[in-house]
Amino acid sequence: MTVDGEQTPAPTGRLSLAQVLETLSADGALPLRFTAYDGSSTGPDDAPLGLELLTPRGTTYLATAPGDLGMARAYIAGDLDVHGVHPGDPYPLLKALADDLHLHWPSPRALAGIVRAIGIGHLVPISPPPQEARPRWRRMAEGLRHSRSRDASAIHHHYDVSNDFYAWVLGPSMTYTCAVYPDPDATLEQAQENKYRLIFDKLRLRPGDTLLDVGCGWGGMVRYAARRGVRAVGATLSAEQARWAQRAIADDGLSDRAQVRHCDYRDVTESAFDAVSSIGLTEHIGVANYPAYFGFLRSRLRPGGLLLNHCITRPDNRSEAAAGEFIDRYVFPDGELTGSGRIVSEIQDAGLEVLHTENLRHHYQLTLRDWCANLVTYWDDAVAEVGQATAKVWGLYMAGSRLGFEKNVIELHHALAVKDDRGTGLPLRPWWRP
């Protein structure tokens, strides 16, 4: 009998859950120890890493959403446990699964045996963990994709978690974008400071210049520029970010030349800025909206003004833009990525001249490594603040993203562009000190 996904163990004679995994494994070799609530197990006895399926509900999650979404649901709900890694940084286990676990689609006869083993009741979907956002088709109640109301809802889902939680994960800089490491031994704080320095120098900012930072987060770029005499305006859709940034600006004595507004970037009416920075916002815009987005950014610049676009990209320009199911449901609802070539084309088509592009993929690996290390250090505080399930989402998301950058599934690109450069004094050969 099955009630809300719960089912008694399979009768003798059927495949055990461990045998189901063995059947799905292409070569029968498992890189870890797997144990299940039906008493079965497989994999090396001395394996340092392990997965433990604790409940029948976990089987339902795995069976009804094969792949990363089902595993994430079971893990986040507490039905699938990990051994040999900290939940704040499951990177070693994810890497072992990606490198050494090779699954295949079974034959019809083997598939029938799997269905008999797990029971037909486990093929009926059940409610996901409450941390999961609704599927894309059910978000229509929040507006059309990338409408103002739906964008605000998506930003709230991800960024209004808890400023204290973000402070533990991100460190004192409160910077939630890829750092740039001046050397392999640099600290996270040194690397984030260096990232802001690099963007500041690429934009050729000088005291008295004006900067618009769209999607400014907690105001890191705004405050960096303002400390160097630049008049900076930031815009964020997150109320929590805006409150934190406004307080930090006041505490730093920068209120005379820095401000962060809680608003849609499209609500910024000023123009003729010397520079515009977009650091980690393009991922939220939607590929179909790039023409309007880059057109708007161009309209905010003076002639000769510079744009720096910093965003996660795909390694090609043909892949599906929408994020995978786990990322879309638990991390970035409605997030979309495309290749750097598409980004450059859209910037050019908006009437800007692209001067320089740069791939910082390896730097994001290091950034995520350090964010996971922070989450491990402050795990108990984080769990007390946001709950164990949400903390596990973040550990899984950051460790998985680190693996994605490592394997070049995703990249991070800078694109520097200028509006109407007509002898405005740009150097013949840009060079940015390390």
Side-chain angles (χ1 to χ4, degrees), residues 222-233:
V222 168
R223 288 181 290 120
Y224 183 96
R227 287 194 293 267
R228 288 154 182 81
V230 172
R231 289 171 291 156
V233 175

Side-chain angles (χ1 to χ4, degrees), residues 136 314 320-328 332 334-337:
R136 294 183 185 96
R314 296 202 185 281
E320 169 68 28
E325 290 293 340
F326 167 67
I327 294 294
D328 183 69
F332 291 115
D334 293 336
E336 295 183 14
L337 302 178

Side-chain angles (χ1 to χ4, degrees), residues 19-35:
Q19 289 171 323
V20 168
L21 180 57
E22 291 171 350
T23 302
L24 293 171
S25 176
D27 52 15
L30 298 176
L32 44 73
R33 185 72 174 166
F34 173 79
T35 57

Side-chain angles (χ1 to χ4, degrees), residues 385-430:
E385 177 73 11
V386 302
Q388 186 177 57
T390 297
K392 288 166 73 174
V393 167
W394 278 81
L396 185 61
Y397 147 61
M398 293 191 298
S401 296
R402 176 185 172 187
L403 189 63
F405 283 105
E406 178 183 307
K407 291 184 172 295
N408 198 28
V409 175
I410 42 178
E411 300 174 346
L412 188 289
H413 273 85
H414 274 193
L416 179 67
V418 63
K419 174 182 177 179
D420 302 331
D421 177 26
R422 300 171 183 173
T424 52
L426 288 173
L428 291 175
R429 174 62 171 85

Side-chain angles (χ1 to χ4, degrees), residues 270-292:
E270 299 95 323
S271 59
F273 285 94
D274 295 296
V276 172
S277 53
S278 172
I279 308 173
L281 178 59
T282 315
E283 299 89 331
H284 298 287
I285 296 299
V287 175
N289 297 317
Y290 284 175

Side-chain angles (χ1 to χ4, degrees), residues 9-91:
T12 304
R14 295 182 179 179
L15 292 175
S16 69
L17 292 171
Q19 289 171 323
V20 168
L21 180 57
E22 291 171 350
T23 302
L24 293 171
S25 176
D27 52 15
L30 298 176
L32 44 73
R33 185 72 174 166
F34 173 79
T35 57
Y37 58 86
D38 66 353
S40 64
S41 61
T42 187
D45 290 334
D46 59 350
L49 302 171
L51 286 173
E52 183 177 5
L53 185 57
L54 299 170
T55 70
R57 184 177 65 178
T59 298
T60 304
Y61 281 141
L62 295 172
T64 55
D68 62 350
L69 181 60
M71 288 193 67
R73 285 172 172 171
Y75 174 64
I76 291 161
D79 302 306
L80 182 68
D81 202 5
V82 298
H83 299 294
V85 294
H86 192 284
D89 186 12
Y91 168 79

